[in-house]
Amino acid sequence: MTSAKKRYVAYLAVLLGSLVGVFVWSRSIRADFLEYVEHELLDNNDFVLAAVDPESYAPLSFSSQDVDGPAYLHLRQHFMDLGEVMWDEYKIKGVYAMKVRGAEVVFIVDSAREDDPWHSEPGAVYQDPPQALFDVLRDGQARFVGPYTDEYGTYYSSFSAQKNLVGETVAIMGLDMSAADFQLLLNERNRAPIEFGGGLALVLLSFFVLIEYRIALVRRIRAKEEEVDRLKADFVSLAVHQLKTPLTGLKWSVETLASSPGPLSADRSEAIRDIGEITRGLNELVNALLNVTRLESGRIIIEPKPTALDKLAAGVIKELQKNALDKEQEITFAPDAGLPEVSVDPLMIREIYKNLLTNAIKYTRTGGRIEVRIASRGADIVSSVKDNGLGIPEDQKARVFEKFFRAHNIVSLSEDGTGLGLYFVKQIVEVSGGRVWFESEEGKGTTFYFSLPLAGSAPKEGEVRLS
């Protein structure tokens, strides 16, 4: 076989191999996207359940007589608002509630406009409901199903049981993504492998030797671009999700408060408390994002001054003591005697202690113990915060200081959190000339350490301080 033929065979082998790789990549994207859709539908079903008061169904007759009633109209507007949020954010087409009555499933309310063929009047019978709906009714477990076809079209859906205060199922909540929207979103994700495969095929046929160099170069550039895009996407996704969802809850709490006649009732008091909690969470998130951005941009001002770290830490402990007492936790503080003052920016170092102690309190169970120590170690002064809480899984330790990262055992305990705290701590420690590390065993607890040089931190001119 001539060298030319060998080259042609090599070209063909690489081309076929590349096309097969593109095909496998495309299939992998579809499988991952289906899992993503399942996750989003089930998660947002939980959000909708939390946003709808199960008692709002009580005045309804679940028939066409509800259409002009004030209770139905208020609930209908609520569902339309929720549907708008679901569509804008996730391309989820429908939000609706159903009632199982005997052998029939009837609609209670949905988010579709009256002129939408998908819209169902209250009391309308669902002619061909999927079996998953009855499975939810039987065992109370949420279900994802799809694609399936019924009288309204082809959909991917999630169903969850909505229960009242005594545990009775009062409705089945459903969320739909149409098969057409699913395919459009999938096509967007598949655009990269399709474009890559076509371009690669053309280049391989003409410039095999050159393309090897170009592929290596493009891959390096693409890896950098994808990392930047991922960080940007994570940032935007977190900000939108964390801000928009609480704002929706805030809106409905305010409306509940405003529409309740008479003197301040228990519901109004609870609504006011909800508003306070939501506002607090928003402020914490915005401040965290702002501080991280300032540190990353290099615009932060560092003003070192002689600081007694034991007094600084004691002040933070006093500030957070109530949070610990609420969980019956004990905080002990054991600084070495005669610690020297260190020239650091006290506002920034205070944030380190605050973040580490807040995490220790939050992720240590009721009755736990937290120990804070400060000691001189050679040319450094080392602080530690030890707890006997959840600990960090072994396979996730390498990611602890990543931006937006939260370990799976922490997420299962509390959905509240930004994943910015430890990233923020690491940035402050390093800009102050120190280092941060930890020891942890899952189920037994974690100790975070950070060191600062006794020689102090270098001052830095900038534009802004931490908020």
Side-chain angles (χ1 to χ4, degrees):
M1 182 182 294
T2 66
S3 59
K5 287 184 177 180
K6 289 180 180 179
R7 288 200 306 273
Y8 296 151
V9 170
Y11 294 164
L12 182 59
V14 173
L15 176 60
L16 290 176
S18 299
L19 293 177
V20 169
V22 169
F23 175 76
V24 172
W25 183 11
S26 178
R27 296 295 294 179
S28 174
I29 286 176
R30 181 180 180 87
D32 291 343
F33 184 63
L34 181 61
E35 184 177 347
Y36 165 79
V37 168
E38 177 179 356
H39 175 78
E40 287 300 314
L41 282 170
L42 290 172
D43 273 5
N44 282 291
N45 206 321
D46 289 340
F47 164 67
V48 172
L49 285 176
V52 177
D53 184 358
E55 298 302 322
S56 59
Y57 304 118
L60 305 180
S61 65
F62 312 117
S63 69
S64 58
Q65 297 176 3
D66 292 333
V67 171
D68 297 321
Y72 172 77
L73 293 175
H74 180 76
L75 185 62
R76 165 99 168 118
Q77 185 60 51
H78 190 15
F79 268 70
M80 291 179 71
D81 290 341
L82 288 170
E84 183 177 350
V85 172
M86 293 296 105
W87 174 256
D88 290 344
E89 291 300 311
Y90 310 103
K91 293 300 179 280
I92 293 173
K93 179 177 177 59
V95 180
Y96 51 95
M98 300 167 289
K99 180 82 173 179
V100 177
R101 189 164 57 192
E104 293 184 328
V105 177
V106 299
F107 287 93
I108 302 174
V109 63
D110 66 41
S111 64
R113 300 187 309 273
E114 282 78 1
D115 58 352
D116 192 327
W118 180 82
H119 173 61
S120 296
E121 294 290 330
V125 177
Y126 191 173
Q127 297 296 335
D128 190 21
Q131 179 59 41
L133 194 151
F134 296 99
D135 293 338
V136 170
L137 187 66
R138 184 185 72 254
D139 59 20
Q141 298 297 313
R143 295 290 198 285
F144 169 80
V145 60
Y148 71 96
T149 302
D150 60 17
E151 59 190 295
Y152 299 101
T154 302
Y155 291 94
Y156 297 80
S157 301
S158 64
F159 300 107
S160 296
Q162 185 163 27
K163 299 180 182 294
N164 59 19
L165 293 177
V166 296
E168 299 171 335
T169 298
V170 296
I172 300 294
M173 192 70 70
L175 267 65
D176 291 341
M177 175 182 285
S178 73
D181 291 326
F182 176 93
Q183 191 60 47
L184 284 174
L185 294 172
L186 179 60
N187 289 344
E188 284 295 317
R189 296 201 173 200
N190 266 326
R191 183 178 298 171
I194 291 172
E195 292 176 351
F196 178 79
L200 182 62
L202 291 174
V203 174
L204 283 174
L205 290 172
S206 304
F207 307 102
F208 179 78
V209 175
L210 177 62
I211 199 59
E212 290 301 316
Y213 168 78
R214 293 184 64 186
I215 287 176
L217 180 60
V218 168
R219 282 178 177 172
R220 287 196 297 270
I221 294 173
R222 182 170 294 170
K224 293 292 185 182
E225 290 176 343
E226 288 177 349
E227 177 67 12
V228 171
D229 290 342
R230 183 184 68 80
L231 292 174
K232 288 180 180 178
D234 286 347
F235 184 92
V236 174
S237 175
L238 176 73
V240 171
H241 184 72
Q242 292 283 356
L243 290 173
K244 194 160 190 175
T245 301
L247 284 174
T248 302
L250 179 60
K251 172 187 174 184
W252 287 105
S253 294
V254 171
E255 289 192 2
T256 300
L257 182 62
S259 62
S260 300
L264 190 64
S265 63
D267 287 342
R268 285 192 177 190
S269 297
E270 183 177 354
I272 292 173
R273 287 193 298 271
D274 289 345
I275 292 171
E277 286 299 310
I278 292 170
T279 303
R280 179 192 62 78
L282 285 172
N283 284 332
E284 289 182 356
L285 174 61
V286 170
N287 285 337
L289 292 173
L290 183 60
N291 284 332
V292 166
T293 302
R294 287 172 173 175
L295 278 167
E296 290 179 334
S297 68
R299 297 185 300 120
I300 201 73
I301 298 170
I302 303 177
E303 293 180 340
K305 60 183 66 175
T307 303
L309 294 184
D310 51 351
K311 293 181 180 179
L312 185 65
V316 176
I317 292 171
K318 183 177 180 181
E319 177 185 337
L320 298 176
Q321 188 69 52
K322 183 180 182 303
N323 295 345
L325 291 176
D326 288 343
K327 295 181 69 174
E328 301 177 7
Q329 295 169 346
E330 179 185 3
I331 300 179
T332 61
F333 182 36
D336 280 1
L339 288 171
E341 289 188 340
V342 184
S343 183
V344 293
D345 189 318
L347 293 179
M348 297 178 69
I349 305 307
R350 183 181 182 279
E351 289 299 316
I352 300 175
Y353 287 116
K354 185 176 179 180
N355 273 276
L356 293 180
L357 272 167
T358 299
N359 279 356
I361 293 169
K362 188 173 184 179
Y363 301 119
T364 299
R365 295 185 176 86
T366 299
R369 180 181 176 86
I370 298 165
E371 301 175 14
V372 182
R373 297 178 180 273
I374 307 177
S376 292
R377 293 289 184 268
D380 295 325
I381 187 163
V382 179
S383 301
S384 65
V385 178
K386 179 181 180 180
D387 65 60
N388 59 352
L390 297 179
I392 301 167
E394 188 67 32
D395 62 345
Q396 299 192 354
K397 289 181 177 180
R399 302 187 60 195
V400 163
F401 294 109
E402 286 184 13
K403 185 161 52 175
F404 306 126
F405 175 74
R406 301 182 73 215
H408 64 71
N409 59 338
I410 287 177
V411 173
S412 65
L413 176 68
S414 171
E415 295 183 0
D416 180 27
T418 64
L420 290 171
L422 292 176
Y423 176 81
F424 185 44
V425 165
K426 187 173 188 291
Q427 295 296 309
I428 295 177
V429 170
E430 291 181 351
V431 81
S432 300
R435 67 185 186 96
V436 60
W437 68 100
F438 68 91
E439 298 172 353
S440 183
E441 184 174 352
E442 187 172 8
K444 294 187 178 181
T446 303
T447 304
F448 278 95
Y449 303 88
F450 72 92
S451 66
L452 296 170
L454 286 170
S457 302
K460 179 181 176 299
E461 294 183 0
E463 301 171 20
V464 290
R465 299 195 63 85
L466 294 181
S467 61

